[in-house]
Amino acid sequence: MKNQSPLNFANQDLRNRSFQRQNLIGADFSGSDIRGCDFSYALLRGANFKQVKAGQTVEHLILIVSVAVVVVIATFHAVSQLIFSAVGVTPEEPAWVYTLALFFSLGLVGASSAIRGITSNKSIIKRIATAVSGATSAALLALFYLHGNAATLKNPQSAVMTLVFVAIVIAVVGFYSTRGLVAVAVGVAGAVATYGFTFLVVAVASAYLSTQNYVWGLLWSIVALGAIALLMIALKQSVKEITSTFATSFRGADITDANFEGAKLGKTNFSGVLRSSRS
């Protein structure tokens, strides 16, 4: 007679179920669809995951990609318009201060996005970087979509209050959400903003070199290389978050002697697992 014990999950559709922190020692998941399941910090010693299908569900992937596309389009439009409005502004013009603020903001997002890409999810540094990147990106979006070009603001005080409010809200949300859709949105917005920063730096370097001002041209070229490096890290992090969000997670689980023979693991999260599983 087929085993119907509580630890028998063989050949079942278990998509998106949570087994977080459960005692599943010796459990049988063989042949099951465990895409989107959360096994974080579960006890899985000797568990059987032969022939399982892990990773993301198609529905979740569509949702994540849709969010990413919307954020990319909104951020690219806003950042590109802000940049083009700042191009050609000279230090003698009143709008120069807004150009410097834009340059600094994009650079801050670029640095924060890169830090997000080289730190772990548990790190307080990553939480801070996510908060800073999300808050700054959100402030830029709010500036453009709610107030238009910063150089032509009719009510600067109201704009500043709006930006501060938006930045604080997103900073708090970003600090406590280093994974999930919030992380995806922050990541792709940060990558687009970093691209904008790279564009600005390359434009400045090219301007100096074209006027044969080679010293400043060389210095800005070095900064441009650094900006390109930040962009690559930000893009890599965004792809990682898109492909791993809502995927099967064994984060922090004890999978000693667990059997994953023939399993289709996809982008399964094995970060912080206790001991290694056998294949």
Side-chain angles (χ1 to χ4, degrees), residues 14-16 33-37 53-58 246 248:
L14 303 172
R15 286 177 295 178
N16 303 319
D33 186 344
I34 60 171
R35 288 177 295 173
C37 286
K53 187 175 184 179
Q56 289 174 315
T57 63
V58 175
F246 298 139
T248 306

Side-chain angles (χ1 to χ4, degrees), residues 171-251:
V172 172
V173 173
F175 184 83
Y176 291 102
S177 303
T178 57
R179 293 184 296 272
L181 290 178
V182 172
V184 171
V186 171
V188 295
V192 174
T194 306
Y195 170 80
F197 176 68
T198 304
F199 176 86
L200 271 178
V201 173
V202 171
V204 172
S206 300
Y208 277 117
L209 292 174
S210 65
T211 57
Q212 299 183 351
N213 193 332
Y214 297 117
V215 175
W216 282 105
L218 177 60
L219 291 175
W220 278 102
S221 295
I222 294 174
V223 176
L225 290 176
I228 292 172
L230 295 179
L231 177 59
M232 293 299 102
I233 296 173
L235 287 173
K236 182 179 178 180
Q237 176 66 14
S238 293
V239 172
K240 177 182 177 181
E241 288 171 336
I242 290 172
T243 57
S244 63
T245 296
F246 298 139
T248 306
S249 175
F250 289 93
R251 182 167 55 94

Side-chain angles (χ1 to χ4, degrees), residues 63 99 135 167 264:
L63 172 63
T99 300
K264 298 179 180 179

Side-chain angles (χ1 to χ4, degrees), residues 47-116:
N48 183 5
F49 289 96
K50 291 179 65 175
Q51 304 294 328
V52 297
K53 187 175 184 179
Q56 289 174 315
T57 63
V58 175
E59 294 81 6
H60 274 153
L61 182 59
I62 292 174
L63 172 63
I64 295 165
V65 171
S66 298
V67 170
V69 169
V70 169
V71 173
V72 166
I73 293 174
T75 307
F76 183 82
H77 178 62
V79 170
S80 61
Q81 292 300 312
L82 290 172
I83 288 176
F84 288 132
S85 68
V87 172
V89 177
T90 62
E92 293 76 21
E93 299 180 53
W96 177 248
V97 64
Y98 298 111
T99 300
L100 293 179
L102 176 62
F103 201 102
F104 174 79
S105 298
L106 293 176
L108 182 61
V109 176
S112 301
S113 297
I115 292 174
R116 293 185 71 249

